[in-house]
Amino acid sequence: MSPVLIRRVRLGAAFVLLTYLILHFINHALGLISLDATEAGRRWFLVMWRNPIGTLALYGAITVHGVLALWLLYQRRSLRMPAWEAAQYGLGLVLPALLAAHVVGTRIAWWQFGTEDRYPRVLLGYWVVAPERGIWQAITLTMAWIHACIGVHYWLRFRRWYPRVAAGLFAFALLLPTFALVGYVAGGREVVALARTPGWREALARVTHPPSPAQSATLVQIRLRFLEAYLVALVGVFAARGVRHLWQRRRSIRVLYPGERAVTVPVGFTILEASRTAGVPHASVCGGRGRCSTCRVRVVLGLTDLPTASEAEQRVLARVGAAPDVRLACQTRPVRDVAVAPLLAPSTAPTDALAADVRQGRERELAVLFADLRGFTRMAEHKLPYDVVFVLNRYFETVGTAITTAGGVTNQFTGDGVMALFGIDVGPAAGCRQALAAARAMVEGLATLSAELSGDLPAPLRIGIGIHAGSAVVGRMGWGQSFYLTAVGDTVHVAARLEQATKDYNAELVVSEDVGRYAAIDLSAFRRDDLAVRNRAGRVPVRIIARVTQLP
Ligand code: FES
């Protein structure tokens, strides 16, 4: 089975189990209303899960999820992993053993001996007959919920929309089990009170048909057989890992990292497992599942000796626009010595997962916008520094909002100037249209700001904007904490010159004719000129737009 198929099947099984758990918790929470409400909810719950399809879905999901978890445990060469992953694995491995008694006492007892697992009967067991089992059951369900929440969080966390919904999901993840536990306690207290009523227990036994002592002994045997089988499967996986380890130790390879660091691991380890084994810091937002791309490495030596990337790996690499010598460390198992350089910082944030691979710089066609406040330096001379900072921050807020709303990326704020990039992902045609829309929004926003600050400003704020489009090298540049996306090249140089030219032309906007052509906008109504640009052969044909509001 391919890793992608395994992942999909496992995810499907996990969804079935998550649905079951959520509905089970909602059912428990009905205990807040009454025991009768809980029991009524259970009947609906059983309609869904105790029909042939529901049974197949639920027990199929439990089997698939469990078997694949053991398979993945066998597959991974190193057991070194981040704490969250270890917690998820650990909880997942103990849950079958902890849940066995509950499943055997309810579902199997019903199936084998016709015992009705109604809420009052189950709660009687957990609150009156054996309260310690009741506490364990509450702990077990909480552990199952934590296991599920970790899985969902780490599955979703590098989706772009996730930060927007994370707070809501977190609240849900906290409130649902809380309500379920409170409902469980309320139901339990009701049952404790009812159990004191003479004849209640007997009446309950008549309708629920508890197993006879012989049947109870059979159920205990079933539980013990299951636990034995599970233990054998677990020990078997670890034994198989040990045998494989001994076998593979006969042949090892070296993974070389920048700074002459070398790690020797048996053949069969992924590059990420090699990093983890030796404690080499290595980004892996998705935990090595081949989904986030953050573990990617440039292969400095030994590229041709590496096994070909799987289709899934190629898809992820293509999605981030990776260069041909880049591989996913978590998916690549070298068979010979290899030298690699991780491309992302170990502390890479989930939001950087699957982001275009611009760190190394890529040539793109895009639009570049420069803007500058006119006469602000002179104006600032007569103001207190605090006032200058206040006005500048309001100005940056106004133009920054206009740029990002139009789809651009604010790049540099220097003095009272700003540089922005448009069309990095969507191409120069859309980029030019976005840049022109941003220019209009900037001027309009500045007019509003000037009106707002009219009491503090000697004259309304004015701006000069230059836009040019063409190719530039775009990449994340900087050092330490100061990395930002920027562009370099002739296009940037020309855009800066067009912004300066707005002073000479006394215009709000000067754009190169390339911008009009890319944006498919007719600028022939505006004055044309050929602009000389320092250190550049040939002149740049431009259009001079005195008032941005005149733009079509
Ligand atoms: S760790 Fe996420 S793709 Fe490798």
Side-chain angles (χ1 to χ4, degrees), residues 272 283-295 316 328-331:
L272 183 64
S284 57
V285 164
C286 74
R289 291 166 168 84
R291 298 203 312 244
C292 67
S293 83
T294 56
C295 64
V316 173
L328 293 185
C330 68
Q331 303 298 308

Side-chain angles (χ1 to χ4, degrees), residues 15 43 54 86 90 114 153 183 229 240 257 272 278 281 331 340 351 369 421 485 548:
F15 262 112
R43 282 198 284 275
H153 172 66
Y257 295 86
L272 183 64
Q331 303 298 308
V340 298
T351 44
L369 176 152
L421 310 175
L485 188 71
V548 172

Side-chain angles (χ1 to χ4, degrees), residues 50-406:
R50 277 199 191 160
N51 63 67
I53 297 175
T55 301
L56 187 69
L58 178 59
Y59 289 91
I62 291 173
T63 311
V64 165
H65 199 61
V67 169
L68 288 184
L70 291 178
W71 170 247
L72 291 174
L73 183 62
Y74 168 75
Q75 279 269 303
R76 65 181 312 146
R77 301 313 203 261
S78 164
L79 290 184
R80 281 197 187 211
M81 58 186 96
W84 68 266
E85 212 181 338
Q88 207 202 11
Y89 255 100
L91 289 172
L93 290 178
V94 297
L95 278 171
L98 292 177
L99 284 168
H102 181 69
V103 175
V104 170
T106 53
R107 177 80 184 213
I108 306 288
W110 168 81
W111 178 47
Q112 288 291 300
F113 307 121
T115 302
E116 287 279 341
D117 50 337
R118 297 184 183 188
Y119 258 91
R121 178 179 168 266
V122 176
L123 290 179
L124 183 70
Y126 285 152
W127 283 84
V128 179
V129 180
E132 71 287 349
R133 280 190 13 228
I135 293 170
W136 261 116
Q137 185 59 16
I139 294 173
T140 304
L141 281 184
T142 309
M143 287 164 69
W145 185 246
I146 293 171
H147 173 76
C149 289
I150 294 176
V152 171
H153 172 66
Y154 282 95
W155 173 55
L156 293 179
R157 73 176 187 153
F158 50 84
R159 316 271 156 157
R160 299 232 168 268
W161 48 265
Y162 184 59
R164 288 198 301 276
V165 299
L169 287 179
F170 182 64
F172 177 76
L174 274 184
L175 288 177
L176 182 63
T178 305
F179 281 125
L181 282 173
V182 177
Y184 174 67
V185 172
R189 289 167 65 125
E190 212 173 322
V191 164
V192 169
L194 285 169
R196 293 198 200 103
T197 312
W200 183 81
R201 283 192 187 207
E202 292 74 11
L204 183 66
R206 275 197 296 281
V207 292
T208 56
H209 317 295
S212 65
Q215 290 171 338
S216 293
T218 306
L219 291 174
V220 169
Q221 285 307 312
I222 292 174
R223 182 163 61 89
L224 289 177
R225 292 297 86 75
F226 169 78
L227 289 178
E228 280 167 14
Y230 183 59
L231 194 64
V232 167
L234 261 186
V235 171
V237 168
F238 281 101
R241 286 175 55 88
V243 170
R244 182 190 56 201
H245 185 68
L246 289 177
W247 178 257
Q248 288 182 334
R249 259 189 25 187
R250 297 173 316 123
R251 241 192 95 208
S252 43
I253 52 134
R254 288 195 326 147
V255 181
L256 302 153
Y257 295 86
E260 315 257 302
R261 182 150 190 196
V263 175
T264 304
V265 287
V267 171
F269 272 51
T270 63
I271 296 171
L272 183 64
E273 284 168 337
S275 304
R276 285 178 172 179
T277 303
V280 175
H282 202 141
S284 57
V285 164
C286 74
R289 291 166 168 84
R291 298 203 312 244
C292 67
S293 83
T294 56
C295 64
R296 58 188 185 262
V297 290
R298 179 184 297 288
V299 181
V300 183
L301 273 177
L303 181 66
T304 50
D305 292 333
L306 290 177
T308 317
S310 68
E311 225 178 276
E313 185 186 344
Q314 286 177 21
R315 217 174 309 131
V316 173
L317 289 171
R319 195 165 161 195
V320 297
D325 57 352
V326 171
R327 296 290 300 265
L328 293 185
C330 68
Q331 303 298 308
T332 309
R333 298 183 191 278
V335 288
R336 297 221 167 81
D337 290 358
V338 66
V340 298
L343 290 174
L344 276 73
S347 55
T348 294
T351 44
D352 284 338
L354 295 175
D357 198 358
V358 291
R359 169 85 181 249
Q360 309 133 65
R362 311 191 95 227
E363 195 165 339
R364 307 256 168 150
E365 297 269 307
L366 79 169
V368 181
L369 176 152
F370 273 86
D372 196 48
L373 270 181
R374 290 283 162 267
F376 188 75
T377 316
R378 240 188 355 268
M379 196 189 300
E381 279 169 10
H382 307 291
K383 290 200 147 294
L384 288 173
Y386 298 109
D387 294 339
V388 174
V389 170
F390 172 76
V391 173
L392 275 180
N393 278 334
R394 292 295 311 274
Y395 157 71
F396 287 140
E397 181 191 346
T398 304
V399 297
T401 306
I403 288 164
T404 49
T405 306

